[in-house]
Amino acid sequence: MITRFAPSPTGPLHLGHAFSALTVWQVARDMGGTALLRIEDTDSTRVRPAHEAGIYEDLAWLGLSWPTPVRRQSEHYAEYDAVLEDFGKAGLIYPCNCTRRQIADAGAVPGADGLVYPGTCRHRTMGDAQAADGLRLDISKVLERVDGPLAYLEIGSGAPDLIKITNETLLNTIGDPILRRKDTGDPAYHLACVVDDALQGITHVVRGMDLYDLTPLHVLMQVLLGYPTPVYHHHALITDADGKRLAKIDHSKALARYRAEGATPADIKTMIGWRD
Ligand code: GLU
């Protein structure tokens, strides 16, 4: 059993991250497995070295440890580009530089990952792609290639649950996702995450419910790439007894600030209602 905690060093870790990290390491311990730390530093305009340093410091302070070297996605762009190259040859991606405004103006509806792309550039081909173009995955073409039905095992609620994925979900609530960002050429989260989970032999993905609606896309990409689909454990987000976002804690206050003000790891655990 191998799982991972995969923060993005685009800001400091907060109490929600502490809950998520503790859950990852607890699930690994309960299953006699290993928890890896992975740095998802692909958003080159927002990543900061200080935030990465803070991740190591905060997690160690919480008493967590991980095998080294840590995989840092910024060191592996060639691996993500190789996958894009294959998708290009198979005719599964197309260039797109639409702005959020253009997408909204085209009447896009909200979906699992922001607005569902309305397909404006879907007629474009890689033949006219420029180096700085964004690239999108053509979901309907992918669906022609993979043999359904798609499903994955969810264990976050305690009992294992087989979650079936419909084409309707993929086409109408997710839509064609960006896999390479325009201008920076950075690989998008979906691509780097799916590639890394496979390369690192992740058997169990433990992460927050905030990513639950994106899992169908990740499973589709795994099947397309011939990767195994891990078991998923989507944990609840920290909430109070009514299931509302915990009101009595400051969700925007960095763990490092609590620490600087004298809080102990035990204090953090109390604040987030953590039970070992
Ligand atoms: N880097 C993602 C985040 O910070 C986590 C991705 C994942 O666990 O799949 O939200």
Side-chain angles (χ1 to χ4, degrees):
M1 183 275 186
I2 306 180
T3 184
R4 86 296 192 279
F5 179 59
S8 304
T10 52
L13 297 188
H14 298 119
L15 292 170
H17 293 105
F19 183 83
S20 194
L22 289 165
T23 306
V24 168
W25 266 265
Q26 183 181 62
V27 172
R29 190 189 60 204
D30 287 352
M31 298 180 78
T34 304
L36 305 180
L37 172 62
R38 179 167 83 217
I39 302 295
E40 301 211 321
D41 54 350
T42 55
D43 188 345
S44 60
T45 60
R46 294 173 59 221
V47 160
R48 301 284 176 270
H51 295 316
E52 182 176 340
I55 289 170
Y56 301 130
E57 206 176 331
D58 291 346
L59 296 179
W61 179 66
L62 288 173
L64 306 173
S65 61
W66 51 90
T68 53
V70 165
R71 186 172 171 92
R72 300 173 69 243
Q73 294 185 324
S74 57
E75 295 169 354
H76 298 277
Y77 276 23
E79 288 152 67
Y80 314 126
D81 285 342
V83 172
L84 288 174
E85 177 103 19
D86 289 346
F87 284 171
K89 284 187 192 132
L92 298 175
I93 48 176
Y94 58 86
C96 169
N97 299 318
C98 289
T99 61
R100 207 165 298 208
R101 166 56 60 89
Q102 287 169 324
I103 294 170
D105 287 351
V109 294
D113 192 15
L115 295 175
V116 178
Y117 186 63
T120 318
C121 293
R122 202 175 284 141
H123 63 280
R124 294 185 61 191
T125 62
M126 291 306 284
D128 71 74
Q130 307 293 314
D133 282 350
L135 297 174
R136 279 187 194 273
L137 183 66
D138 189 324
I139 294 288
S140 55
K141 287 214 179 115
V142 173
L143 286 171
E144 285 166 19
R145 289 194 153 232
V146 305
D147 281 331
L150 297 168
Y152 69 93
L153 201 59
E154 170 68 52
I155 60 169
S157 61
D161 204 1
L162 188 70
I163 308 293
K164 298 195 178 114
I165 300 168
T166 64
N167 290 6
E168 195 273 333
T169 296
L170 291 161
L171 292 166
N172 301 342
T173 72
I174 294 181
D176 296 357
I178 279 283
L179 293 190
R180 186 181 78 186
R181 295 211 184 89
K182 64 173 157 36
D183 302 329
T184 60
D186 291 333
Y189 157 63
H190 305 301
L191 176 64
C193 173
V194 164
V195 168
D196 280 8
D197 284 341
L199 285 176
Q200 296 191 289
I202 302 300
T203 60
H204 292 65
V205 171
V206 181
R207 62 185 180 191
M209 273 304 280
D210 50 331
L211 295 166
Y212 180 86
D213 289 340
L214 295 173
T215 300
L217 171 63
H218 295 188
V219 172
L220 177 73
M221 291 174 66
Q222 288 150 7
V223 172
L224 174 66
L225 287 161
Y227 297 159
T229 289
V231 172
Y232 284 84
H233 175 128
H234 290 97
H235 63 74
L237 304 177
I238 42 176
T239 54
D240 61 21
D242 300 330
K244 287 204 217 75
R245 203 154 183 255
L246 265 187
K248 54 182 181 293
I249 66 170
D250 183 350
H251 289 268
S252 62
K253 182 163 158 183
L255 281 179
R257 278 197 53 209
Y258 283 105
R259 184 165 66 245
E261 290 169 11
T264 64
D267 295 332
I268 299 293
K269 289 179 183 178
T270 303
M271 273 185 265
I272 60 178
W274 180 259
R275 284 176 303 273
D276 274 312

